[in-house]
Amino acid sequence: MQNNHKVAGAVEAAGAHPLAARQPAYPILNTLDRILAFASEVPAAILVALEILILLAGVISRYVFNSPITWSDELASILFLWLAMLGAVIALRRGEHMRLTTLVNRLPRGIRNWVQLAAQLVVAVFVLEIILPAYEYFQDQWMISSPALEIHDGLRVAAIGVGAVMMMAIVLIRLLQQAAGRQLVIALVCFAALCGVLWMVQPLFFKLGNINLLIFFVGVVAVCVACGVPIAFAFGVATLSYLALSTQTPLTIVVSRMDEGMSALILLSVPLFVFLGLLIEMTGLARAMVDFLASLLGHVRGGLAYVLLGAMYLVSGISGSKAADMAAVAPALLPEMKKRGAEDGRLIALLSSSGAMSETIPPSLVLITIGSVTGVSIAALFAGGLLPALIGALALAVVVFFHTRNEDLSGIRRASASQILKLFFIALPALALPFVIRTVVAEGIATATEVSTVGIAYTVVVGLLIYRRFDWSRIYPMLVETASLSGAILFIIGCATAMAWGLTQSGFSRLLAESMSAVPGGKAGFMVISVFAFVILGSVLEGIPAIVLFGPLLFPVARAVGIHEVHYAMVVVFAMGLGLFAPPFGVGFYAACAIGRVNPDHAMKYVWPYLAALFVALILIAAIPWISTGFL
């Protein structure tokens, strides 16, 4: 697949095989497919453009004219959920939701076809199950109006129901296109029988208590992922199954948690930075930066890999989202690194591990959240976060050194001083972009969400007036690609947020805190348990939800056993970052695969040395408090 129709080169996605469209058996299906494409892609492209204009107008109005637009963030938030859901619809239609295919591809062809059909039906079951709760949630939210514009909140959350209906239509079209009639009937009968059996034994699940956590959040997720169900839908169906079969909780809570996960305004920086990355490439800024950096380090083995680590260190925290950070860096460096012979999987391993490495770099939302829920000084957390990330970067640099020590540089010549100087002046407007973004945030001109729009405006001006490269015909495809990639990422976050709520309500968080406070070994024992626990929590819950849940419980225990709160915070954040980017459950790993357009199966085998290096760095950070507290 090429360009917009792929996620990471060979990413197998929710339907890429078998959901990727082939020539339909009936002309009507082709017509319906085109209608769905138009109904999702055109509004999504318009929404991306509107979000950019609204937030940029807010910055200009506030900073230039000293007349803030009070409703800009509110309108951006209302449109954002529609953008996220339409993007998820586009990703499903194009086959761009991330999924694993390692086990499925190893099965005999006949069995593989059945497993792939079952994966499609799991997607159908999840989408079908949320349509009615989405409608009920729409009715509940209709009574709430936004404070400035007085728009019914139901108009915003209707995006979830509309998106679910469109997804259901896409799944039905793909099933009719791909599956033989007899095979589809048999699969539907088997699925209906399985659902019936599970419903009949529902009283048994009520008696199992917390064993259900293992059954649904480990067993069901693992089986779905192994069968090639898209990651987001695997999380979603596990959560729905847990709530429906083992609790009395209404399923509308799943929709509300998905809304919460996808609607956080800070996540709006994800599509905006994705678009900024595409814009940097189209206008020539990426080429100018890469040419200059290559002239400096291109003759060094692994030179551009070191540049990637440095770039992630510098830009991290600007957007408040690891996915957005990676989206800002990857388009400028990965294409040139691939041209120089770097393997796709190894590049994604480096990109994802650099995202884990940079979790403690301020201004990190996770650090701000820790300060707000635990009372730890945010200024102290910011001061303590730089050195732990540097230790992680050095650990990754060691791995890069060994992986690239035999790199063939026979075709690479060292640039002369005059060439470097010339390329520097050419690249200067492009190199200024990160400093423009950082300055805009530091001076309070724009928020972390708005800053990407300033970068977009700067890039447009530089592309038009300085580099004189601006292909207007590419704008619409770039807007659609931005929506698709962002929707795939945000839908994972939404479903993961719902799953996190299910874990919390089970009492798992309270039980964990009680168990950790009773571990033997005092300070050292508590720290060891914390490291492993937060690696797991980071994989399942991500940073902010995990901190909100467990920070108030565990930080007092850490203080009681004599651990400095800033030191403990750095260990916790670094560990969660490691879990967030560790397959098979780490959402950050799949986000990196989507951004870098590489098959998760291909990248997974390369990521372990980098994660091992980060784990060594984590041990050092945990064992040496000065790394976190030396600059306080």
Side-chain angles (χ1 to χ4, degrees):
M1 293 183 287
Q2 301 294 326
N3 299 330
N4 325 352
H5 296 282
K6 67 180 183 177
V7 172
V11 160
E12 291 289 345
H17 181 72
L19 281 180
R22 294 194 295 234
Q23 186 63 31
Y26 307 101
I28 186 64
L29 296 180
N30 192 21
T31 301
L32 291 174
D33 191 61
R34 288 199 303 268
I35 292 173
L36 283 169
F38 181 85
S40 57
E41 292 179 1
V42 172
I46 293 172
L47 286 172
V48 174
L50 282 176
E51 294 285 24
I52 295 170
L53 293 176
I54 291 169
L55 293 182
L56 184 59
V59 174
I60 294 173
S61 176
R62 183 178 63 249
Y63 184 74
V64 177
F65 299 105
N66 196 28
S67 178
I69 301 176
T70 57
W71 47 263
S72 60
D73 283 355
E74 188 175 295
L75 181 58
S77 178
I78 292 170
L79 298 179
F80 182 42
L81 186 59
W82 280 95
L83 170 58
M85 286 304 300
L86 288 174
V89 170
I90 297 169
L92 183 62
R93 180 183 168 273
R94 293 183 171 193
E96 295 182 351
H97 281 285
M98 287 78 72
R99 70 177 186 131
L100 293 177
T101 57
T102 304
L103 296 178
V104 175
N105 288 338
R106 294 179 181 177
L107 295 173
R109 183 175 180 82
I111 298 176
R112 183 167 68 245
N113 289 338
W114 283 103
V115 172
Q116 290 171 342
L117 178 56
Q120 294 181 64
L121 291 176
V122 169
V123 174
V125 167
F126 171 71
V127 175
L128 187 62
E129 282 190 314
I130 67 169
I131 290 177
L132 181 58
Y135 176 69
E136 294 173 350
Y137 185 58
F138 160 77
Q139 289 181 309
D140 293 340
Q141 295 300 112
W142 184 261
M143 304 301 296
I144 303 172
S145 298
S146 59
L149 297 175
E150 297 185 351
I151 295 175
H152 291 289
D153 195 52
L155 295 176
R156 181 184 66 84
V157 303
I160 300 177
V162 172
V165 171
M166 296 177 75
M167 287 183 184
M168 194 67 214
I170 290 170
V171 173
L172 291 175
I173 289 172
R174 294 297 182 259
L175 286 171
L176 293 173
Q177 287 174 341
Q178 300 298 322
R182 179 174 176 272
Q183 183 186 35
L184 181 58
V185 170
I186 294 173
L188 288 173
V189 170
C190 292
F191 246 73
L194 176 61
C195 293
V197 170
L198 290 175
W199 190 258
M200 290 176 62
V201 300
Q202 185 182 22
L204 176 62
F205 288 115
F206 277 101
K207 298 177 181 179
L208 293 178
N210 283 340
I211 296 177
N212 287 314
L213 299 178
L214 294 176
I215 295 174
F216 293 103
F217 293 125
V218 177
V220 172
V221 170
V223 170
C224 288
V225 170
C227 291
V229 176
I231 305 300
F233 295 90
F235 288 169
V237 80
T239 305
L240 283 172
S241 300
Y242 169 74
L243 295 178
L245 297 175
S246 65
T247 74
Q248 298 289 348
T249 305
L251 297 185
T252 52
I253 196 67
V254 174
V255 179
S256 69
R257 296 306 95 185
M258 290 175 61
D259 174 25
E260 178 186 353
M262 292 188 291
S263 297
L265 193 59
I266 190 63
L267 290 175
L268 183 52
S269 58
V270 173
L272 299 185
F273 267 106
V274 169
F275 185 74
L276 176 59
L278 296 172
L279 199 61
I280 288 171
E281 186 275 328
M282 187 264 280
T283 54
L285 272 74
R287 170 57 54 194
M289 284 191 290
V290 168
D291 287 345
F292 172 65
L293 294 173
S295 70
L296 291 177
L297 293 172
H299 61 284
V300 178
R301 288 185 173 87
L304 293 183
Y306 299 130
V307 171
L308 188 148
L309 290 175
M312 282 298 294
Y313 192 94
L314 291 173
V315 306
S316 268
I318 291 177
S319 69
S321 164
K322 288 297 105 180
D325 293 339
M326 293 187 294
V329 170
L333 290 174
L334 296 195
E336 182 64 22
M337 295 171 75
K338 291 177 183 179
K339 289 181 182 178
R340 291 169 177 264
E343 298 175 83
D344 288 350
R346 201 178 299 281
L347 289 180
I348 295 307
L350 178 61
L351 179 65
S352 63
S353 57
S354 67
M357 165 272 295
S358 57
E359 279 284 80
T360 64
I361 297 175
S364 164
L365 283 181
V366 179
L367 295 181
I368 295 172
T369 304
I370 287 178
S372 65
V373 302
T374 66
V376 181
S377 166
I378 294 177
L381 292 170
F382 281 5
L386 293 172
L387 195 52
L390 181 60
I391 297 298
L394 293 175
L396 293 177
V398 172
V399 179
V400 169
F401 173 80
F402 282 104
H403 279 166
T404 60
R405 65 186 185 279
N406 296 321
E407 184 179 0
D408 182 13
L409 298 177
S410 57
I412 306 296
R413 292 189 307 168
R414 183 168 186 167
S416 65
S418 60
Q419 288 175 318
I420 293 174
L421 188 61
K422 178 182 177 181
L423 291 171
F424 171 72
F425 282 111
I426 293 174
L428 189 58
L431 293 171
L433 177 59
F435 297 97
V436 170
I437 291 174
R438 182 71 73 177
T439 301
V440 166
V441 174
E443 295 297 324
I445 298 173
T447 66
T449 304
E450 298 168 333
V451 67
S452 52
T453 64
V454 178
I456 289 171
Y458 176 88
T459 304
V460 169
V461 172
V462 170
L464 287 171
L465 302 181
I466 299 179
Y467 292 113
R468 299 180 182 275
R469 282 185 55 185
F470 203 93
D471 186 353
W472 290 99
S473 65
R474 291 183 57 187
I475 295 298
Y476 176 73
M478 286 165 53
L479 291 171
V480 174
E481 185 173 356
T482 296
S484 177
L485 178 55
S486 303
I489 294 170
L490 294 168
F491 201 67
I492 286 181
I493 294 174
C495 292
T497 302
M499 187 169 72
W501 183 90
L503 282 169
T504 305
Q505 295 304 305
S506 68
F508 173 73
S509 57
R510 177 181 52 80
L511 180 63
L512 176 66
E514 293 175 353
S515 301
M516 291 183 67
S517 62
V519 297
K523 181 192 300 187
F526 179 76
M527 185 66 84
V528 170
I529 295 296
S530 295
V531 165
F532 286 100
F534 276 100
V535 167
I536 296 172
L537 290 173
S539 177
V540 177
L541 299 180
E542 295 190 80
I544 291 177
I547 283 299
V548 172
L549 298 175
F550 299 106
L553 298 173
L554 295 181
F555 271 73
V557 180
R559 295 189 193 102
V561 297
I563 299 175
H564 195 287
E565 54 195 11
V566 173
H567 177 210
Y568 189 65
M570 294 307 117
V571 172
V572 163
V573 173
F574 204 99
M576 286 192 300
L578 188 58
L580 178 63
F581 288 87
F585 296 112
V587 173
F589 172 75
Y590 300 106
C593 290
I595 289 168
R597 304 187 178 281
V598 173
N599 189 325
D601 299 336
H602 182 55
M604 191 177 296
K605 63 183 178 182
Y606 294 103
V607 77
W608 303 112
Y610 294 96
L611 294 180
L614 289 179
F615 188 74
V616 172
L618 175 58
I619 293 174
L620 289 175
I621 295 167
I624 306 174
W626 184 88
I627 294 175
S628 303
T629 62
F631 295 105
L632 299 183

